[in-house]
Amino acid sequence: GSLVLEELIILDQINGFDAFKDVGGGVKIAFNDKLADVSGLSNLNSVGKDADGNSIVVVDNPILSSLQGLRALQGMLQGAVHIANNGELTSLNGLQQVLGIGYDNFGVALNITENAKLESIDGLLGLEGKINGSVVVVRNPSLRSLTGLQAVSEIGKDVTGDSLRIMMNEILVSLLGFEGLKKVDGAITV
């Protein structure tokens, strides 16, 4: 099954999960108003995907500032990665050992959206080769660069035909970070 930590209004830290090394489904951390980090998941080294096709979902955690607790996660993820609306998150450090990702039921592989203080995605430096679904990087007003995706050579598409959507990242000045990209299967919107 999946590991879901959702709407736990008093949760300020994750404890008691030290024995978790593998989760057969996805990991969802969502709507936790007081959660500042995910260090209690530091022994987690593999995850599957949930019924929606997601491996990692980290959304709507307003004071979450770090994903370092996911640093043991490694290899290929079967499903998508969604990181959205985490107001204090500044980087994706903690995901460096993830080498590949799958996609969700809509064909989205990587969704990084509305993270107000996110400055860097270089925590994705381990991703390489083809990403079979679309990549979405939208409304991250502090994002300075796309460095971290250099080893991605191909991007698939989602059910709407989009491969790459990079929009409304106010201070992002270049697409530097996609130097290795050779092929996209769908539309590109910048």
Side-chain angles (χ1 to χ4, degrees), residues 8-159:
L8 301 169
I9 58 175
I10 60 170
L11 182 71
D12 61 358
Q13 60 185 330
I14 298 172
N15 290 324
F17 292 97
D18 294 340
F20 280 67
K21 293 184 192 266
D22 304 299
V23 173
V27 172
K28 182 176 185 180
I29 302 167
F31 305 103
N32 298 298
D33 290 346
K34 295 183 179 180
L35 184 64
D37 68 58
V38 292
S39 58
L41 299 174
S42 62
N43 290 326
L44 187 63
N45 63 29
S46 74
V47 298
K49 63 181 179 178
D50 64 18
D52 296 322
N54 298 309
S55 284
I56 301 289
V57 175
V58 181
V59 298
D60 291 297
N61 300 288
I63 68 168
L64 181 69
S65 61
S66 173
L67 297 179
Q68 281 291 357
L70 298 175
R71 67 187 168 276
L73 198 57
Q74 59 188 340
M76 176 70 181
L77 300 181
Q78 296 175 26
V81 174
H82 292 276
I83 311 289
N85 202 23
N86 300 291
E88 296 295 318
L89 191 64
T90 59
S91 80
L92 301 183
N93 290 342
L95 299 175
Q96 290 93 326
Q97 294 188 76
V98 174
L99 303 178
I101 53 179
Y103 53 89
D104 66 15
N105 294 348
F106 296 101
V108 176
L110 179 62
N111 178 11
I112 304 168
T113 306
E114 295 187 21
N115 298 288
K117 293 187 179 177
L118 186 68
E119 296 175 0
S120 166
I121 61 170
D122 63 1
L124 298 173
L125 207 52
L127 289 179
E128 58 188 21
K130 182 172 184 179
I131 293 178
N132 287 312
S134 68
V135 173
V136 178
V137 182
V138 175
R139 290 191 184 111
N140 300 288
S142 302
L143 187 62
R144 298 182 185 282
S145 119
L146 296 172
T147 302
L149 298 172
Q150 300 91 304
V152 173
S153 60
E154 288 184 56
I155 299 176
K157 62 183 178 180
D158 60 27
V159 296

